[in-house]
Amino acid sequence: RPVLIDRLIARRLFPLALAISQYLKLNSAEGKNRVLGHWACYKVETSTADEAETARQVSSRLGLNADISYSDVAGQAAEVGKKRLAVQLLEHEVRADKQVPLLLKLGQ
């Protein structure tokens, strides 16, 4: 994995990390999907907007990409106390085996 992308992610420079990963023609797992996954986790941690709006922003950016785990992002939301946001994000998870354990943990 390119160290440059890791450093840009650590500095929260997601657009630049995404552009450079596309320029370097990195495969999706090391480039675009990784950057977007980190962006989504950061977004749910720091967002002060309405949880429904945050869920909409995240889902519109990530789309229905099976390579990006909504359950990981939802788990991050649950950790920071945003359970309703976590449930809304889990609605977009395409893999039931990742969706169900977190829903049970959230009491849904």
Side-chain angles (χ1 to χ4, degrees), residues 6 9 15 17 19-22 33-34 42 44 48 52 54 60 63 79 83 86 91 95-96 103 105 107:
D6 290 336
I9 288 171
I20 290 174
S21 67
Q22 290 171 340
N33 292 345
R34 202 162 122 260
Y42 180 72
V44 300
T48 57
T54 303
S60 70
E79 282 184 29
K83 291 186 177 181
E91 291 173 5
R95 295 169 296 219
L103 282 171
K105 182 179 173 185

Side-chain angles (χ1 to χ4, degrees), residues 28 32-38 40 58 61-73 92-95 98:
S28 293
K32 180 182 176 185
N33 292 345
R34 202 162 122 260
V35 173
L36 288 176
H38 281 282
V58 170
R61 179 71 62 95
L62 300 184
L64 293 175
N65 190 337
D67 296 330
I68 300 175
S69 175
Y70 277 93
S71 64
D72 292 344
V73 180
H92 299 283
E93 178 62 62
V94 295
R95 295 169 296 219
K98 289 197 167 205

Side-chain angles (χ1 to χ4, degrees), residues 18-59:
L18 191 57
I20 290 174
S21 67
Q22 290 171 340
Y23 177 78
L24 294 174
K25 296 182 174 103
L26 297 176
N27 66 34
S28 293
E30 290 184 348
K32 180 182 176 185
N33 292 345
R34 202 162 122 260
V35 173
L36 288 176
H38 281 282
W39 169 82
C41 288
Y42 180 72
K43 182 74 173 174
V44 300
E45 286 177 18
T46 60
S47 179
T48 57
D50 178 51
E51 291 184 357
E53 176 62 20
T54 303
R56 189 196 61 73
Q57 290 173 349
V58 170
S59 65

